[in-house]
Amino acid sequence: MNRSFFRSLSFAVVVGASGFFATQALAAEDIVESARQGCQADIDSFCKDVTAGEGRILACLGAHEDKLSARCTYSLFDANAQLERFAAAMAYVGVECKADLEKNCAGMEIGDGRLAKCLQAHQATLAPGCSQAMKDTQLKVD
């Protein structure tokens, strides 16, 4: 692993926690929790005195990357892959639904799934690309 891997994982965590779509943010939190569980022994060994929050545990693991267990290494790589996929899905929806968001949800506060609920409330009038993006990313139930 390298520093760019840990920066990438940190970025993906921030994107996942943004709250653009509540259910997907919860999925991102589940991914992070799974990585934490996979690295718990390493966290206990190398980072027990680190105050959690703001990526400090991840930074600590990065500082000890040459000593991490195979389980932790796998957990981090798996979390990174899942979070990158999540970020790509959110970017896809953002691009495809930009006009619909501006038209139907302008001025709405971001977070707690408000934008997803707004788009779902207007699903009958969404552009085909936006509807497809929501289906592809499972943000819309038929």
Side-chain angles (χ1 to χ4, degrees):
M1 277 187 270
N2 57 41
R3 299 278 180 241
S4 65
F5 168 81
F6 285 98
R7 281 193 301 273
S8 174
L9 185 59
S10 294
F11 169 75
V13 169
V14 169
V15 170
S18 69
F20 185 75
F21 293 101
T23 56
Q24 278 60 30
L26 292 175
E29 289 174 15
D30 290 344
I31 294 166
V32 172
E33 177 60 19
S34 177
R36 187 198 61 74
Q37 289 176 2
C39 290
Q40 191 61 56
D42 297 82
I43 292 168
D44 292 344
S45 292
F46 306 120
C47 308
K48 64 180 173 270
D49 296 327
V50 175
T51 302
E54 298 179 7
R56 288 186 286 267
I57 298 291
L58 190 58
C60 176
L61 291 173
H64 295 91
E65 67 182 298
D66 59 326
K67 301 173 199 147
L68 296 180
S69 67
R71 181 178 185 212
C72 181
T73 300
Y74 172 77
S75 294
L76 291 171
F77 274 113
D78 184 52
N80 188 59
Q82 290 181 58
L83 288 168
E84 282 182 358
R85 181 178 164 105
F86 166 78
M90 294 301 96
Y92 172 41
V93 171
V95 167
E96 293 298 321
C97 296
K98 182 179 181 197
D100 290 297
L101 286 165
E102 290 171 351
K103 176 183 168 188
N104 299 309
C105 311
M108 183 170 286
E109 186 179 344
I110 295 175
D112 296 326
R114 289 182 196 91
L115 295 177
K117 289 175 188 171
C118 178
L119 289 174
Q120 289 170 344
H122 294 92
Q123 64 185 349
T125 62
L126 295 178
C130 180
S131 293
Q132 188 62 51
M134 291 182 70
K135 287 178 187 175
D136 291 345
T137 58
Q138 301 176 351
L139 292 173
K140 180 179 176 185
V141 179
D142 287 322

